[in-house]
Amino acid sequence: MSSEPLLRLENVGKRFGGMTVLHEQSFSLAPGEILGLVGPNGSGKTTTINVISGVHPADEGRVLFEGREIQGLPIFRIARLGINRSFQVPKCFRGMRVRENVEVAATFARRGAADIEAILAETGLASHADDIAGSLTVNQQKMLDLARALATNPRLLLVDEIGAGLNPAELGGIATLLKGLAARGIALIVVEHLLDFLNRVTDRVIVLGAGRMLFEGSLAAASKDPDVVAAFIGG
Amino acid sequence: MALLEYALIGGILYGIFFSLVGIGLNLIFGVMRIINLAHGQFIMLGGFGAYLLARGLGLNPLFGIPLAIAGGIVIGYPLYYGVVPRLQKSQDPEMLSFILFFGIAQMIEAVAVFAFGADQRSLPQDALGSGNIGVLGQEFPDSWWVACLVSVLAILGLYLYFSRTRLGFATRAIMADRDEARATGIDVDRVSAIALIIGIALAGIAGVFVPYLIGSVSSSIGDGLTTTSFAIIIIGSLGNPLGTVVGGLVFGIGTMLMQTYYSSWSNLAPYALLLAIVLVRPSGLLGKAVRRA
Amino acid sequence: MRTHVKRAWTACAGALFASGLALSAGAPAHAATAPSEIKIGTLYASSGPFAVASEGQYHGLQYWAAGVNKTGGVFVKAFDKKIPVKIVAYDDQSSTATATTLYNQLITQDHVNILMADFGSVLTSVAIPLAAEHHMLLIDPTGSGANFFTKKTNYLADVSIPSSTVWPLPLAHFILAQKIKRVAIVYGSNDFDASQAETLKTTLEKGGVKPVYYHGVPTTESNYTVLLHTIAAHNPEAVIELGYAPNDIAFLHALAGSGLHFNMTFTIFPGQLLALMEKNVGAKTLAYTYTYPTPPLVAYPKTTLGPNTAAFVKEFTAAEKAAPNFLDAAGFNTGLIMQQMLATAPKFTQLDFHQALMDMSGKTTTLLGEFKINSHGAQMGELLPVAQLVPAGKGVTPVVVYPQDKATGKAIYPAPKK
Amino acid sequence: MRKPPAWRGPVLVLVALAAIFAVAPRLYSNESVLFTMMTFMALAQGLNLLYGFTGYLPFGYVGFFGTGAYATSLLVTFTSLPVIAAVLLGGLAAVVVGLILGPLFRLSGPYFSIANLAASQIIYNVVANEALKPITGGPYGIKIEHVYAPTASYVTMLAILLAATALAAYFRRSRFGLGLRAMHQDPISASLAGVDIVRERLIAWLASAAIAGLAGGAYAWNLSVFYPEAVFTLQISVFAIVFALFGGVGTVIGPLLGAALLYAFYAGIGVSAPQYFELLYGLLIVLLVLFLPNGLASLLTRRKVDVL
């Protein structure tokens, strides 16, 4: 592993109106690593992802990707550098076919050719390739979000609550998929409420509470930390 | 100096009236997230209502106020149930409502041309009092004062409706969060339909005074009034009906100063104000108008 | 899949052709011999700022046509016989854009024999280049804008209203004669009003009176309240408002509501549409204001062509069950002039028509007065005096106060406060 | 794999358009109707470039048209440029106005439309202002009769119509167009897919503005005497919107079809009773929004026909 991590956040802060929703957030991530983000609703998990992906730029601090500052860059530039994400509420191109959804990303990301058919197969969408995206179920749309992100050949993938509403068998499939991606060297940040699921993909988590980092370490250790317990009960 | 005083006092009167002109549009937007692009045409209908009462039946144009309320009910109720729930189910209700109400505006205008021709019509000059009332030595026609008084009463009424009645409270809840309001058991459709009726009725009431304040009513004044109303409510605060008063005053005083000192450029005033505000202070004054992306 | 694309555009092409063909039905008929009817093409406005005036003019023309057709039509010298008249007319709704298409329609599709403009300078202006382009003589009843008449032309003739370059002369001379020093002029920003304002200003300045206020407002202006206060701040003795009928109504309205008073107030349209103005602004507001009285408010007892003013009023009232206004008279007068033109033009060509009008110029008097056009097409005759509207019974009646030879009374100046 | 060359459909449409309007004047002599029909087809297509592909409805579209008309006329009046160059510069003037109005894209859909409308009214009120009489002619209109050339301006308008249509075909079939479509559906996801939405949107906006500006220039040339109202009336925006919506936005043939059919209808019957058309157009808009939001073309796409 090189000395420079793939992603580093330095004292990142974010405000909405007068309210600070993220305080001095700092952590780093190596290629192929999976980081879990947990915390009660409103603790800043999705905000962290939004800040990294450029959807809501940081107000303070620095976000470094491969040693380069990316805070303030437009979303498409960040995407072309190799950061991509999925959404809790899937945001696919609803009027376009499934294959076209993936094609857009493969075409515009300028990160080398993507094997669209392979990505569709990987995400379980091969049989729906010619369907209109809006006609898919919500879970399928989440997978399409992921497929769209994968088609950009990302180096860092941010996954927001992909497990909600899935049955155990489907969760198992996703866990395998995410671990497989990490094995290929893609770093992942996984925001998740389902701790069992998270436990299966990583043992490194950051616990957030009210926009602050409360804990960093393994999930098992987190459950014994008094700050974490207080935050969850309080939240 | 006298001219400046005249422009300022006139601007306040004019501005208070124009708060009434804009307020219905803002109410409807605030409650339903629907852009009533036919707003100006409803105002125009109010003006023609008063014209018919005054010239046809020889009544005082003030009877146009109850007529506008009746018109609000007759038009607003079927309009709500005919199109609004359908629009809100669609992907982009704001944009679709915008185009749909534009179509409605065109239809109203065409019907008005059939009924009244495209000529400018005025109301009997002395129906609202033939004299002048002066303040600080500046005289304004009685009709301006009457219009101003009615505007204040209407806006006050709306304020009381919001703050003192159950329906008003429910309306505010819907403005804050439509789905949440529905979840707490508010009959969202009924309350919204009433808001649409109030919005249209307020436009109609404003219309009664349009022939006095801008000289005449004609079937083609709708679009201009809609744009002006937009400028006013955007200056005020979009979605906040009472903020409209601020917008009205800024518009009124601005227009009067322009008319007095740079009259040939005064037509620009509402448009320039609108554009300046959306471009310079998009987030501060606009709130919801700014793209989230 | 792509074959459907082809099908789609073929459908598009088909639709276009179908619509084109449908429109082109009615092939051009070129008349080498005498036509079965004389087609007079014109426009009118059923709505918009010019509607009231335009409908009057159109009505007058229809009245004339009905009259001549009752006697078998107009006598056409070129064919040495009477031919019925047919009026081809479209509604331009006071829009110049619509009018452009419709004038084109009259020329290229209907192949009218005589092209006649709609009321007023604005709606006439777009016809002038079209007529010239198609080598048609444009009969211009009431388009008097000064810049229409800047060069020699065979394709334009202003027949029923004086050119704006001479029209305001009596008014200017009256103001000078009254020794009024402070004059405010507010005019509509259109060819008709602006060129009158220009002539008025120039003439006044020549007489040593520089207007204290001189300002154009949009033709659509309907609120003069603020403007009146700005004008009043210049302390004028006389306020001259030059506009179309809706402007005059709005102006007089605002004046009545403003509490302001001027020694002299002048507007144009009470002199043309007195009944309409009385209905809209009331006799009280009109009292002691000034205007250009037009026939039938002023009468020309001796004519060389057609009935005199009084006879026209009588005949028109009997036939139409309503008294004519000036624009009815103007429309009728335009018919008369065209009738005489056809009766004297030796050949049935546009150039001969124009020559016939030139030959009539200066030798013809109609119910509107002396017909006199110059080589630029401008009407130099039919001059309008200045009158003051004085209370009479429930209404007002014009008293001609200038020029002296036409005066029927003396001006009450300054106007009494109400 | 099963596709014939991608350029075939667009080329067929362009050839058909050119052929129709080359022949039409021989069949129907009121060229002003044909010319106006082409003008509205070009405008509907130009509006489609923005609205159909990005979802931003330029309510003040007429502002570009009027800008082009005046820029062309002023260049003809005050310089000795050939008219055709003046028309091209009229298109450029509209592009410049489009650049100035670029910040409007900070606004969401309807506010963009309203602000755009306000902008067009500002341009109109400035051009038509009494104070600018020495330059623009103000409310008294402008005359460039000395360059009046019905045939040349007719051909120019046809070329503009073809250019607009070629652009629409490019938007529909190219990688660039794919990005626009993605942005239209979800701007954030499109950005994440690597689409530079700001740049793409600006290009679509400027292309749309350029078409209106060029059309305005050619229109001014054809009219040669006109009042500001004639090239700034909101009715021009209205027609372009209704025509494009009726045919189907986001397609190439939709706006052409919509404009040709509705304008032919208007010219055939509507000129003698315009208020019926206002009523009919209003009704048509309401019905389209409620029942056929994607226009005539969607009748075909619903049946899985690949409409260009």
Side-chain angles (χ1 to χ4, degrees):
Chain A
M1 215 179 280
S2 71
S3 58
E4 183 60 49
L6 182 69
L7 174 77
R8 197 168 82 227
L9 269 66
E10 288 178 1
N11 300 321
V12 167
K14 176 74 194 167
R15 288 184 305 272
F16 280 119
M19 211 166 81
T20 306
V21 292
L22 215 56
H23 298 268
E24 300 185 348
Q25 176 112 236
S26 300
F27 64 84
S28 58
L29 197 65
E33 196 182 351
I34 302 183
L35 171 69
L37 276 187
V38 291
N41 281 331
S43 60
K45 304 183 300 283
T46 299
T47 306
T48 305
I49 291 190
N50 284 342
V51 165
I52 298 170
S53 59
V55 171
H56 291 145
D59 296 314
E60 285 156 17
R62 304 201 297 163
V63 181
L64 295 125
F65 184 69
E66 296 177 316
R68 179 180 167 188
E69 283 191 33
I70 59 164
Q71 76 273 10
L73 286 184
I75 303 173
F76 82 96
R77 290 252 172 251
I78 294 176
R80 286 182 186 176
L81 287 173
I83 299 177
N84 229 292
R85 65 173 293 179
S86 70
F87 290 90
Q88 187 178 356
V89 179
K91 290 170 75 71
C92 38
F93 309 124
R94 299 174 57 88
M96 293 161 78
R97 292 175 206 289
V98 168
R99 183 182 281 104
E100 287 176 315
N101 265 261
V102 184
E103 269 171 6
V104 172
T107 313
F108 282 90
R110 301 188 187 163
R111 295 187 49 78
D115 186 344
I116 291 171
E117 300 306 321
I119 290 170
L120 288 174
E122 208 170 16
T123 48
L125 294 169
S127 58
H128 299 286
D130 289 318
D131 292 355
I132 297 291
S135 70
L136 299 181
T137 65
V138 175
N139 287 335
Q140 288 169 331
Q141 289 188 21
K142 283 188 177 180
M143 295 313 288
L144 181 54
D145 243 18
L146 194 63
R148 192 253 307 129
L150 287 174
T152 64
N153 284 330
R155 299 209 55 206
L156 170 63
L157 187 61
L158 316 168
V159 185
D160 196 356
E161 305 249 359
I162 200 164
L166 297 187
N167 64 36
E170 291 166 332
L171 281 174
I174 303 249
T176 313
L177 171 63
L178 295 185
K179 281 199 274 191
L181 295 174
R184 278 189 242 156
I186 300 176
L188 286 108
I189 296 179
V190 182
V191 168
E192 198 51 80
H193 267 122
L194 304 168
L195 300 182
D196 286 347
F197 170 74
L198 203 55
N199 218 0
R200 280 155 71 180
V201 294
T202 182
D203 57 0
R204 184 190 169 202
V205 297
I206 286 176
V207 182
L208 294 174
R212 292 177 196 278
M213 283 177 63
L214 301 177
F215 176 84
E216 185 170 1
S218 76
L219 245 169
S223 61
K224 296 187 188 88
D225 186 283
D227 283 352
V228 173
V229 173
F232 271 84
I233 293 168
Chain B
M1 211 42 227
L3 263 186
L4 181 65
E5 271 176 29
Y6 177 83
L8 289 177
I9 298 169
I12 292 170
L13 291 179
Y14 203 65
I16 291 174
F17 171 69
F18 267 88
S19 309
L20 178 65
V21 166
I23 202 160
L25 179 65
N26 211 355
L27 176 71
I28 292 171
F29 177 79
V31 176
M32 275 156 275
R33 300 281 137 185
I34 286 225
I35 299 191
N36 176 13
L37 213 55
H39 181 70
Q41 276 74 18
F42 288 125
I43 298 175
M44 177 258 287
L45 287 182
F48 275 120
Y51 170 82
L52 283 182
L53 291 179
R55 299 282 188 196
L57 303 177
L59 292 172
N60 190 296
L62 287 177
F63 285 102
I65 295 174
L67 183 69
I69 296 170
I73 296 169
V74 171
I75 298 172
Y77 190 80
L79 188 62
Y80 183 86
Y81 286 100
V83 302
V84 176
R86 205 185 161 102
L87 281 176
Q88 270 162 349
K89 265 182 253 150
S90 71
Q91 246 193 28
D92 187 357
E94 280 187 16
M95 199 64 217
L96 275 187
S97 69
F98 184 78
I99 302 175
L100 180 113
F101 276 84
F102 169 66
I104 292 175
Q106 295 283 302
M107 288 167 67
I108 296 176
E109 201 169 304
V111 169
V113 173
F114 286 132
F116 305 103
D119 309 321
Q120 297 175 340
R121 311 276 175 160
S122 54
L123 293 180
Q125 197 60 36
D126 46 9
L128 301 182
S130 57
N132 292 279
I133 298 175
V135 168
L136 302 173
Q138 301 300 321
E139 294 193 340
F140 293 90
D142 291 349
S143 52
W144 284 43
W145 293 96
V146 176
C148 194
L149 183 71
V150 170
S151 304
V152 170
L153 290 178
I155 294 167
L156 206 63
L158 190 64
Y159 175 75
L160 291 176
Y161 174 74
F162 277 137
S163 58
R164 297 289 161 84
T165 68
R166 285 173 57 97
L167 269 174
F169 189 74
T171 313
R172 273 161 56 205
I174 296 173
M175 290 169 81
D177 189 323
R178 195 174 179 87
D179 295 326
E180 195 88 348
R182 201 185 293 276
T184 58
I186 293 173
D187 184 347
V188 170
D189 280 329
R190 186 168 143 262
V191 177
S192 301
I194 292 172
L196 184 67
I197 287 169
I198 295 176
I200 294 175
L202 286 171
I205 293 171
V208 171
F209 300 97
V210 155
Y212 292 102
L213 271 288
I214 63 175
S216 64
V217 55
S218 70
S219 45
S220 60
I221 60 170
D223 290 336
L225 283 170
T226 303
T227 339
T228 305
S229 303
F230 259 100
I232 288 166
I233 67 175
I234 287 177
I235 296 165
S237 170
L238 203 66
N240 170 7
L242 300 174
T244 311
V245 178
V246 177
L249 287 173
V250 172
F251 167 77
I253 294 172
T255 305
M256 280 293 159
L257 288 174
M258 288 289 280
Q259 282 195 4
T260 306
Y261 295 103
Y262 301 99
S263 70
S264 60
W265 297 98
S266 65
N267 283 349
L268 277 178
Y271 307 114
L273 272 173
L274 190 152
L275 209 62
I277 280 168
V278 298
L279 291 180
V280 178
R281 299 273 326 262
S283 50
L285 290 169
L286 270 181
K288 293 284 196 290
V290 177
R291 207 160 38 85
R292 280 277 160 78
Chain C
M1 290 285 266
R2 291 304 167 102
T3 51
H4 292 292
V5 175
K6 196 169 157 192
R7 192 190 301 160
W9 75 252
T10 324
C12 166
L16 259 175
F17 267 119
S19 48
L21 290 174
L23 287 170
S24 63
H30 286 291
T33 54
S36 60
E37 56 195 10
I38 302 292
K39 279 197 272 190
I40 298 175
T42 191
L43 306 184
Y44 63 96
S46 72
S47 58
F50 311 117
V52 180
S54 174
E55 285 184 329
Q57 175 178 306
Y58 181 49
H59 191 195
L61 178 75
Q62 285 175 313
Y63 168 74
W64 164 78
V68 293
N69 281 343
K70 231 180 269 169
T71 64
V74 287
F75 176 75
V76 182
K77 186 174 183 210
F79 304 116
D80 197 26
K81 65 170 181 178
K82 274 194 169 185
I83 303 178
V85 168
K86 185 188 173 203
I87 295 173
V88 184
Y90 298 109
D91 181 1
D92 58 35
Q93 306 234 319
S94 299
S95 152
T96 51
T98 309
T100 305
T101 311
L102 293 174
Y103 283 126
N104 245 308
Q105 182 77 13
L106 290 171
I107 297 168
T108 64
Q109 298 305 296
D110 301 317
H111 301 281
V112 296
N113 304 111
I114 300 174
L115 183 66
M116 173 178 153
D118 197 344
F119 162 81
S121 300
V122 171
L123 295 171
T124 302
S125 65
V126 292
I128 294 171
L130 277 176
E133 167 67 21
H134 291 276
H135 302 291
M136 295 279 295
L137 168 64
L138 180 68
I139 304 285
D140 162 16
T142 46
S144 66
N147 63 355
F148 300 168
F149 313 114
T150 50
K151 56 176 190 277
K152 203 170 173 325
T153 175
N154 290 326
Y155 302 113
L156 178 64
D158 169 10
V159 297
S160 295
I161 217 162
S163 160
S164 286
T165 46
V166 295
W167 188 340
L169 293 179
L171 173 62
H173 295 148
F174 170 72
I175 290 171
L176 293 172
Q178 285 288 330
K179 309 225 180 302
I180 297 172
K181 294 295 174 206
R182 301 184 65 83
V183 180
I185 301 171
V186 54
Y187 58 93
S189 298
N190 55 68
D191 291 323
F192 167 63
D193 294 314
S195 49
Q196 287 219 28
E198 184 63 36
T199 306
L200 182 60
K201 180 172 166 239
T202 320
T203 317
L204 286 175
E205 280 173 355
K206 265 187 218 148
V209 173
K210 189 172 161 39
V212 293
Y213 182 89
Y214 183 77
H215 190 79
V217 298
T219 305
T220 50
E221 184 62 68
S222 65
N223 187 2
Y224 288 83
T225 307
V226 180
L227 199 73
L228 272 166
H229 277 82
T230 318
I231 293 172
H234 291 86
N235 296 316
E237 297 160 87
V239 177
I240 314 296
E241 188 269 329
L242 304 169
Y244 280 105
N247 303 97
D248 293 358
I249 292 172
F251 173 82
L252 291 167
H253 257 305
L255 182 60
S258 70
L260 297 169
H261 178 79
F262 304 107
N263 289 347
M264 171 181 179
T265 306
F266 179 95
T267 53
I268 295 175
F269 277 82
Q272 296 190 20
L273 301 165
L274 188 56
L276 177 90
M277 299 295 289
E278 273 181 331
K279 191 178 126 213
N280 270 284
V281 302
K284 209 172 110 197
T285 306
L286 285 172
Y288 303 108
T289 68
Y290 295 77
T291 187
Y292 303 125
T294 53
L297 295 181
V298 289
Y300 292 91
K302 278 190 197 147
T303 62
T304 62
L305 178 65
N308 69 20
T309 315
F312 166 72
V313 172
K314 211 171 135 201
E315 288 160 18
F316 186 95
T317 310
E320 306 289 317
K321 310 278 177 272
N325 60 32
F326 168 69
L327 289 146
D328 295 317
F332 175 78
N333 183 62
T334 307
L336 277 184
I337 300 284
M338 291 190 287
Q339 184 176 355
Q340 181 69 5
M341 172 183 90
L342 291 169
T344 52
K347 276 189 265 148
F348 200 73
T349 73
Q350 299 290 320
L351 286 177
D352 286 277
F353 292 165
H354 179 252
Q355 192 51 50
L357 289 183
M358 296 306 285
D359 293 344
M360 286 157 64
S361 176
K363 297 170 211 141
T364 310
T365 301
T366 68
L367 71 163
L368 296 188
E370 188 190 19
F371 174 83
K372 194 166 131 191
I373 55 174
N374 67 16
S375 62
H376 296 179
Q379 179 60 243
M380 309 307 281
E382 301 174 355
L383 275 182
L384 299 169
V386 177
Q388 188 175 33
L389 298 168
V390 295
K394 278 186 178 176
V396 289
T397 186
V399 172
V400 175
V401 295
Y402 192 88
Q404 293 307 328
D405 57 333
K406 292 209 181 82
T408 56
K410 270 192 83 68
I412 301 171
Y413 181 90
K417 288 200 182 191
K418 282 141 208 174
Chain D
M1 31 193 171
R2 57 216 139 80
K3 295 185 179 175
W7 49 264
R8 203 182 71 176
V11 167
L12 287 175
V13 171
L14 291 175
V15 169
L17 268 182
I20 289 165
F21 282 104
V23 173
R26 289 166 203 282
L27 302 175
Y28 178 64
S29 60
N30 189 346
E31 262 189 40
S32 115
V33 166
L34 294 172
F35 182 86
T36 315
M37 181 186 277
M38 284 200 298
T39 308
F40 280 115
M41 287 170 81
L43 285 175
Q45 192 68 283
L47 181 117
N48 181 39
L49 292 178
L50 186 72
Y51 179 55
F53 293 92
T54 71
Y56 283 89
L57 182 61
F59 228 72
Y61 197 49
V62 65
F64 297 122
F65 184 75
T67 300
Y70 266 89
T72 301
S73 306
L74 292 178
L75 285 166
V76 167
T77 309
F78 293 108
T79 71
S80 51
L81 283 175
V83 189
I84 193 82
V87 171
L88 289 173
L89 289 171
L92 186 68
V95 168
V96 171
V97 170
L99 275 174
I100 295 169
L101 296 180
L104 292 186
F105 282 106
R106 284 194 284 183
L107 306 172
S108 70
Y111 309 94
F112 168 84
S113 302
I114 289 281
N116 181 221
L117 173 65
S120 74
Q121 292 297 308
I122 289 176
I123 301 170
Y124 172 36
N125 278 295
V126 168
V127 166
N129 204 287
E130 180 87 20
L132 289 187
K133 188 181 170 193
I135 303 167
T136 62
Y140 308 100
I142 195 159
K143 295 185 173 68
I144 49 168
E145 300 147 281
H146 58 288
V147 297
Y148 180 71
T151 310
S153 54
Y154 182 94
V155 173
T156 307
M157 186 60 89
L158 178 55
I160 295 164
L161 171 60
L162 294 178
T165 303
L167 273 173
Y170 174 70
F171 280 20
R172 182 114 175 115
R173 289 282 190 246
S174 68
R175 187 186 106 98
F176 176 80
L178 183 66
L180 282 180
R181 275 170 68 206
M183 180 196 77
H184 186 8
Q185 310 234 325
D186 192 317
I188 291 182
S189 286
S191 303
L192 284 167
V195 180
D196 183 351
I197 58 169
V198 174
R199 181 173 155 272
E200 289 230 339
R201 199 169 49 199
L202 189 66
I203 291 174
W205 168 240
L206 296 182
S208 177
I211 293 300
L214 290 168
Y219 189 74
W221 189 9
N222 188 269
L223 277 189
S224 81
V225 173
F226 60 93
Y227 289 91
E229 166 230 281
V231 293
F232 279 105
T233 168
L234 190 60
Q235 207 191 24
I236 293 175
S237 282
V238 172
F239 274 24
I241 292 168
V242 176
F243 293 167
L245 272 180
F246 179 67
V249 292
T251 66
V252 177
I253 57 166
L256 298 177
L257 211 70
L261 288 175
L262 286 187
Y263 187 77
F265 196 31
Y266 174 79
I269 313 160
V271 282
S272 48
Q275 65 275 38
Y276 288 98
F277 271 72
E278 198 180 3
L279 185 64
L280 202 68
Y281 283 179
L283 190 65
L284 203 59
I285 293 172
V286 171
L287 295 177
L288 283 170
V289 168
L290 290 177
F291 302 109
L292 198 64
N294 296 313
L296 287 182
S298 68
L299 294 176
L300 295 172
T301 42
R302 273 184 199 174
R303 290 177 179 74
K304 307 240 171 195
V305 177
D306 185 14
V307 175
L308 179 66

